[in-house]
Amino acid sequence: MTKKISILVVDDERSVRDSLYNWFIEDGYHVDCAEDAKKALSILEAESFDIVLADIKMPGMDGLEMLKRIKTIRNDAIVIMMTAFATVETAVQALKDGAFDYVTKPFDPDDLSHLIRNASKQISLMEENEVLKDKVVSLENVEDLIGESEAMVQVLREVESVAQSNASVIITGESGTGKELVARAIHSNSPRRYFPLVSVHCGALSESLLESELFGHEKGAFTGAVYNRKGRFEMADNGTIFLDEIATISSKMQVELLRVLESKSFVRVGGNKEIKSDFRVICATNRDLKAMVDNGVFREDLYYRLNVVNINVPPLRERTEDIPLLVDYFIKKYCTTMNRPIMTVDPAALKRLEEFPFPGNIRELENMIERAIVVGNGKKITLKDLPIEKSEAMPAFESLDELEKHHVLQILNKYNWNISASAKALKVDRVTLYNKIKKYQLKQTK
Amino acid sequence: MKPENITLISFGYFEKRFLGEIMYDVEREFRIPVVIQEGHLDLSEYFDPARRQYNGNLLLRDIDKQFASDQVKTLALFNIDLYIPILTFIFGQAFLNGRCGIVSAYRLYNERYGIKADERVFIDRLCKEVIHELGHAFGLIHCPNPTCVMRSSTYVEDIDQKSWSFCAKCKKELE
């Protein structure tokens, strides 16, 4: 026995209390007795007992009433009711009110041993459950969301405030910024954390596949549907469904999705039975959904249904101060995975990383660090381990004009502002190049 | 404090060779001299006509009052069907770390369960129960070790499965 189980015996008959006391003491339990419900409740308020063994018929407050009160003090208390006058009604009532079991006095010594053994097993299972829950929480914490920059702190703050609610969330941000990690953080901090987080990458599936994936299908619904299959909405019951790349779904799926979000019920492909599921929706996209709504590509009603809360994950170039932290984190992660000693980073290499625009965001940085650990000398990550040339350190521009301006300037600098050579390299005539210089107000820097 | 001796008091008829064997086993396990006595008690006071059994709690209380002393550990042997108010029957009971205990041979006979009488099995069961209850009187609680004599037994089959000696852990606690 790892932990001493404590038992409170509540019975108005002294002989019963004494008998049970002696019996349990010999079994090594911690035992206390109370002669009525009132005393038992006051003992329970002061001290916690694992098992309460209580008589139903007692003067004053009876055992059933006491059971209800005990449940208000400690809902998970294991209460075993006993009586000399067994009726089916009282037994059923006791069990309905939350009693663990019900026994008729006098009982067989073996029954008593079994009863207490079962209750002890239940207690250890409950304790184990608590320990496992704690472990799950610590496993699913948001440690992958690295960053101390103001932008990232703001994201974490939003995650924290939205997690406890049931509101739909749209996570926006460029590819590779960690939108799924944000979704995971919301889920693992929400009351739904002990239930599944089901991810669906909408962009990777065709319309019919996505439909079958989300709603499930019945056997024979289409060629290849040889079994009944649960859909992701069904799997996410009591949990969260994460719809990545939501902007890629077809207009037909948008209608279907809106209906499911409104009714929280759906029918499997090829089926006719309505299935209910209680899930929370978190979506992610790297596109401007509002613009898509304005252009009539994305349904407005679905947009407003999904966009209760919007969390924008900043691109890495807007939080370069987080790069050292991220580099450190990925080094530890991959060195541990590859069973290597933890490496350090050369300051020059770190500076280059901080200057690099990372169009692929954190995903790109992560891959870069992983590669550097593989090809590196095992002690320090240096410039030569990084797959970036200095000239590659080009910011990621959204508009074509900005890109053109940057490229023209780069070529002009390369050819020392020799217009003819630069125009030849750019494969444009000299007049066009002059026009570009004028348009972008380019100037030679000394 | 180590008691001067262990006193076995038989109430009712027990064959001398049975008592001799019990005495030998108890002495071997506890390494304390064992004294055998005969006792007399009006058992009708403990009889419950509704249950047709004898109240073990009252009996233990009176054995403690009338026959036990601080210097010895006393164990009273009976041949009656014992119960305590909450349980249908008991083989015996003792005050934990107390002065005395009681054991009844009544439910240890094979014949009670429709099986052929076996004297060897009966004596073994009785010895084990006596050592078990004395173990409680010496402060030992039930032991999870399946072969230890301090293992809780709620059926005769349980008694048959355990040995009549203490496991290493209980032996250490006893010392």
Side-chain angles (χ1 to χ4, degrees):
Chain A
M1 204 182 299
T2 47
K3 181 200 154 203
K4 205 170 183 177
I5 301 277
S6 54
I7 303 174
L8 178 65
V9 177
V10 192
D11 200 303
D12 55 323
E13 274 181 69
R14 187 183 173 158
S15 59
V16 170
R17 292 200 302 274
D18 289 349
S19 302
L20 284 171
Y21 180 86
N22 289 331
W23 183 266
F24 290 136
I25 281 287
E26 285 180 358
D27 268 331
Y29 298 114
H30 165 66
V31 197
D32 202 350
C33 298
E35 65 269 23
D36 56 38
K38 205 175 151 193
K39 192 170 176 212
L41 289 170
S42 72
I43 290 176
L44 282 168
E45 269 169 20
E47 198 184 337
S48 145
F49 280 83
D50 297 309
I51 301 168
V52 179
L53 200 61
D55 192 18
I56 288 190
K57 282 216 171 201
M58 287 188 288
M61 190 193 300
D62 72 359
L64 290 176
E65 179 58 29
M66 186 186 74
L67 169 65
K68 285 181 197 159
R69 303 255 183 115
I70 290 174
K71 289 285 168 184
T72 60
I73 300 171
R74 239 189 86 187
N75 189 36
D76 60 344
I78 289 189
V79 185
I80 299 167
M81 304 306 298
M82 39 184 198
T83 183
F85 316 96
T87 64
V88 175
E89 290 77 19
T90 45
V92 170
Q93 191 55 47
L95 294 173
K96 268 186 184 171
D97 289 342
F100 176 74
D101 213 332
Y102 180 94
V103 281
T104 314
K105 286 193 283 187
F107 29 85
D108 211 71
D110 200 46
D111 289 346
L112 182 60
S113 294
H114 268 128
L115 205 61
I116 299 300
R117 220 175 298 146
N118 286 345
S120 306
K121 207 181 273 178
Q122 172 81 2
I123 291 162
S124 60
L125 280 175
M126 288 194 302
E127 281 168 358
E128 196 180 344
N129 190 25
E130 283 304 312
V131 172
L132 287 173
K133 275 181 179 177
D134 287 348
K135 275 190 185 167
V136 169
V137 170
S138 63
L139 280 175
E140 284 208 346
N141 66 8
V142 291
E143 66 173 13
D144 281 356
L145 276 180
I146 307 285
E148 287 175 0
S149 61
E150 205 176 310
M152 210 51 208
V153 168
Q154 177 60 28
V155 169
L156 290 171
R157 227 177 267 146
E158 284 172 348
V159 165
E160 208 182 325
S161 70
V162 82
Q164 290 305 314
S165 76
N166 219 6
S168 304
V169 182
I170 287 190
I171 304 163
T172 52
E174 288 176 16
S175 180
T177 46
K179 295 187 286 295
E180 185 163 355
L181 287 181
V182 173
R184 205 166 281 280
I186 294 172
H187 173 76
S188 58
N189 283 286
S190 75
R192 294 170 177 268
R193 61 185 172 276
Y194 303 123
F195 295 95
L197 167 71
V198 179
S199 298
V200 185
H201 198 292
C202 302
L205 303 164
S206 66
E207 185 183 297
S208 53
L209 255 181
L210 183 63
E211 192 181 12
S212 154
E213 198 66 26
L214 289 177
F215 306 124
H217 60 73
E218 296 288 339
K219 185 181 174 183
F222 47 83
T223 315
V226 283
Y227 301 109
N228 289 345
R229 187 167 186 261
K230 272 188 176 182
R232 299 296 176 107
F233 281 124
E234 216 172 326
M235 288 181 199
D237 192 20
N238 290 317
T240 308
I241 188 159
F242 173 59
L243 303 172
D244 202 2
E245 301 296 344
I246 189 74
T248 59
I249 64 169
S250 67
S251 40
K252 180 179 171 265
M253 278 308 293
Q254 289 177 28
V255 179
E256 294 271 355
L257 190 57
L258 180 66
R259 207 187 58 77
V260 174
L261 294 183
E262 278 174 353
S263 63
K264 289 280 163 84
S265 66
F266 51 89
V267 177
R268 283 185 189 164
V269 176
N272 50 18
K273 199 178 127 200
E274 186 123 312
I275 296 165
K276 289 231 171 255
S277 179
D278 172 29
F279 53 84
R280 179 192 196 170
V281 180
I282 301 177
C283 300
T285 182
N286 55 3
R287 298 204 205 156
D288 184 354
L289 270 189
K290 184 78 184 77
M292 288 175 74
V293 170
D294 294 340
N295 295 332
V297 187
F298 200 82
R299 288 184 70 95
E300 193 175 13
D301 40 11
L302 179 61
Y303 174 74
Y304 287 116
R305 167 67 63 177
L306 294 173
N307 192 24
V308 179
V309 179
N310 179 264
I311 296 177
N312 181 49
V313 188
L316 191 52
R317 64 178 175 278
E318 285 177 20
R319 51 182 189 111
T320 48
E321 62 266 49
D322 286 337
I323 288 177
L325 280 176
L326 286 160
V327 168
D328 194 42
Y329 172 75
F330 291 133
I331 287 176
K332 277 184 192 144
K333 180 179 166 181
Y334 285 105
C335 285
T336 313
T337 314
M338 294 177 203
N339 207 11
R340 289 184 175 195
I342 305 294
M343 293 168 79
T344 54
V345 198
D346 183 61
L350 189 62
K351 191 168 182 295
R352 178 71 61 83
L353 287 170
E354 282 173 315
E355 284 168 357
F356 191 69
F358 288 105
N361 289 296
I362 298 169
R363 190 181 291 133
E364 188 177 2
L365 173 66
E366 183 174 359
N367 293 342
M368 217 176 258
I369 300 298
E370 188 183 2
R371 179 189 177 278
I373 293 169
V374 172
V375 301
N377 61 7
K379 287 176 188 164
K380 197 177 242 186
I381 293 176
T382 57
L383 270 176
K384 67 175 174 49
D385 302 325
L386 299 172
I388 34 174
E389 294 297 321
K390 197 164 187 182
S391 58
E392 271 187 74
M394 183 180 76
F397 300 114
E398 291 212 337
S399 76
L400 211 53
D401 277 357
E402 274 180 87
L403 188 69
E404 190 179 58
K405 176 185 168 185
H406 187 269
H407 186 60
V408 171
L409 183 64
Q410 213 172 35
I411 296 297
L412 284 167
N413 284 335
K414 189 177 175 183
Y415 292 98
N416 210 12
W417 279 74
N418 182 323
I419 302 298
S420 302
S422 300
K424 196 176 171 190
L426 290 166
K427 291 186 181 166
V428 291
D429 56 43
R430 295 173 73 245
V431 179
T432 310
L433 183 55
Y434 273 121
N435 286 339
K436 297 283 179 200
I437 292 169
K438 197 178 167 191
K439 179 184 172 188
Y440 298 124
Q441 299 171 346
L442 299 175
K443 278 174 192 161
Q444 189 174 10
T445 48
K446 297 287 174 193
Chain B
M1 194 184 72
K2 202 170 178 179
E4 284 170 12
N5 66 54
I6 293 170
T7 306
L8 295 178
I9 310 175
S10 66
F11 293 84
Y13 176 73
F14 284 92
E15 279 190 42
K16 270 196 177 151
R17 57 194 178 96
F18 289 178
L19 294 174
E21 208 164 319
I22 296 169
M23 185 176 137
Y24 175 80
D25 283 339
V26 171
E27 239 171 24
R28 187 198 60 222
E29 283 306 312
F30 291 93
R31 293 169 199 272
I32 292 171
V34 177
V35 177
I36 295 185
Q37 290 177 4
E38 257 183 51
H40 299 282
L41 206 57
D42 179 8
L43 293 176
S44 62
E45 284 178 39
Y46 311 99
F47 187 69
D48 183 332
R51 293 184 61 154
R52 303 173 65 80
Q53 286 177 303
Y54 294 82
N55 189 322
N57 280 352
L58 299 181
L59 204 48
L60 182 65
R61 187 196 63 193
D62 287 354
I63 293 291
D64 188 56
K65 261 191 212 165
Q66 297 173 33
F67 296 90
S69 76
D70 291 337
Q71 286 76 39
V72 296
K73 297 282 182 191
T74 304
L75 191 115
L77 277 171
F78 295 91
N79 215 332
I80 50 175
D81 194 9
L82 293 175
Y83 80 96
I84 56 172
I86 196 71
L87 296 178
T88 47
F89 71 91
I90 54 167
F91 293 125
Q93 68 171 350
F95 286 122
L96 189 68
N97 218 359
R99 304 192 301 179
C100 65
I102 54 172
V103 167
S104 172
Y106 186 85
R107 285 183 182 253
L108 301 179
Y109 298 99
N110 262 358
E111 302 90 292
R112 298 254 173 249
Y113 308 97
I115 309 169
K116 199 181 154 197
D118 189 329
E119 199 179 276
R120 185 69 255 151
V121 171
F122 166 73
I123 297 173
D124 279 354
R125 287 174 185 165
L126 191 59
C127 280
K128 287 174 192 176
E129 277 309 288
V130 168
I131 295 169
H132 179 95
E133 294 308 334
L134 279 168
H136 285 317
F138 276 91
L140 295 179
I141 58 167
H142 286 153
C143 177
N145 187 327
T147 58
C148 178
V149 72
M150 290 314 292
R151 170 92 170 183
S152 168
S153 314
T154 49
Y155 284 125
V156 277
E157 290 87 341
D158 292 339
I159 305 175
D160 294 341
Q161 280 186 357
K162 65 186 180 186
S163 72
W164 50 78
S165 56
F166 296 106
C167 68
K169 190 173 156 275
C170 289
K171 209 172 269 179
K172 202 176 168 196
E173 274 180 45
L174 202 61
E175 281 160 9

